[in-house]
Structure formats: C-alpha cells, structure tokens
Amino acid sequence: MVTAFEAMNAVGLVAFAIVGSLKAVEAEFDVLGVGVLGVLTALGGGATRDVLVGRVPAMLQSTADVSFALLGVALAVLLARRVGTTLLDHPAVVVPDAIGLAAFATTGALVGHEAGVSPFGVVVLATVTGVGGGLVSDLLLQRVPFVLADDFYATCAVAGSVAFWVVVAADQSTAVAAAACAGSTLGLRLLAIRGNWRLPTVRLSAES
C-alpha cells in the first residue's frame, strides 16, 4: 500500500520534472535537452544529497524515481504544445511543486539524521534535496538560481528541517519529526504562494 509520504514524493518528482522541462522548452532546448533538464530538476537534489553522505544515489538504484521524472517530462512536452509555458505559474503546477518540496526536504532531513550529521548538516541536506535540482537546472540555463534571488522557496525547506531537528532534540520519534518537517515546509510554501512572499533584498546606498 502506498503511504502518504510516498504519494507526496511521486507528485513532487512529476511536478519538478514538469517545471524543469517547461523551463527548457521556454529556452528553446531540443527534445534531448528538455528531457535532461526535466530529469535533473526532479532528481538532481536527491543525487547531490546522496553523494554528500557517501552513498550511491537513489536514482541509480531504482527505476521508480526515474519513471516518475520521465512521466513529468512527457506531460510537460504535451502541455507545452497545447498550452505553452505559462503553466509555470499556474496552481496546477505550483501546488504539486510545493508538495514535492515538502517531501524532498523531509527525505533530506531523514537521510541526514540517519547519517549522523550535525543539526546544521541536517538543514543543509534537507535544503539541498529540496532545491538542488532547480538550482542545477537554472545554472544550465545560465540564470541566477531563483532560490537565491526571486522567491520564498528554499527558506521553507530550511524552516522545515529546523522543525525536524527541534522535534528530534525533544526526544520525539523520527516519524513525528518527519511529519513536522513536511507539514511546516508545505504550509509555509503555500502561504508564500498565496501571499506572494519575498525575502527582503540588500540595497546599496545611494552614495555607493
């Protein structure tokens, strides 16, 4: 039986692949480029996390994750031909993407906890898992990564992983900590979408 967390992970993989693929279509990549960018967006964060903790990336051990990513690529190509890339800001893509962010951040926090890294390491691994794929895709597109400049996105993964660590430090089970991480990450992201939240930027003084 599929658990709620597994369902969230699958939704996230498809959504992330759609986002990456639509970005590639917008940049006029060929079919191979669209596929590569879509798969990297979906799986790049998890692969980076696994390398950091010294294990074979999960994407190379199972066909399930890759299959969901390829499904997302196929859906993106179909949608791009029928609707265009305006779907990048549509709730039908943005909300599943938020679900994926929550699932991936939680997976990263769990992996960090199992690997015995420091609390800071847990936060880093959770954030990398959640936003690493999007960061890689933006670099391949020669863009400033949106997680660094444009949106209240990575902050949600950071907050979720901090919640995970706080719950674990309170001697609660990892299942409770994972629920806290997923819930806080998803809740913050949905609030950010609804309120169009942005982090403040650092402005240079007029004299400089």
Side-chain angles (χ1 to χ4, degrees):
M1 183 177 180
V2 177
T3 66
F5 185 75
E6 289 171 338
M8 287 177 64
N9 188 67
V11 168
L13 287 168
V14 173
F16 275 35
I18 288 175
V19 170
S21 298
L22 289 178
K23 286 181 179 180
V25 171
E26 195 173 49
E28 299 183 347
F29 280 25
D30 62 20
V31 174
L32 177 61
V34 171
V36 168
L37 207 67
V39 171
L40 280 178
T41 303
L43 303 175
T48 304
R49 172 206 67 217
D50 288 340
V51 170
L52 288 173
V53 297
R55 72 183 197 183
V56 177
M59 61 178 283
L60 301 180
Q61 301 183 64
S62 170
T63 59
D65 286 358
V66 176
S67 297
F68 283 121
L70 291 175
L71 173 61
V73 172
L75 288 173
V77 171
L78 179 63
L79 291 170
R81 290 178 62 86
R82 292 180 176 273
V83 183
T85 59
T86 55
L87 281 173
L88 279 170
D89 296 320
H90 194 280
V93 173
V94 174
V95 173
D97 181 85
I99 293 172
L101 176 65
F104 293 170
T106 304
T107 301
L110 286 167
V111 169
H113 178 67
E114 291 170 2
V117 301
S118 68
F120 175 72
V122 169
V123 173
V124 169
L125 291 174
T127 306
V128 165
T129 307
V131 308
L135 190 149
V136 169
S137 67
D138 282 344
L139 290 177
L140 290 175
L141 289 165
Q142 298 184 329
R143 301 176 179 175
V144 175
F146 79 101
V147 298
L148 301 180
D150 187 47
D151 210 349
F152 195 90
Y153 194 87
T155 308
C156 301
V158 172
S161 55
V162 169
F164 178 95
W165 176 77
V166 168
V167 173
V168 168
D171 291 327
Q172 298 298 313
S173 69
T174 53
V176 174
C181 181
S184 55
T185 302
L186 178 58
L188 270 177
R189 181 57 187 151
L190 292 178
L191 286 172
I193 293 168
R194 183 178 179 83
N196 195 31
W197 291 358
R198 294 288 187 275
L199 289 176
T201 56
V202 179
R203 302 291 183 184
L204 294 175
S205 66
E207 295 180 359
S208 61

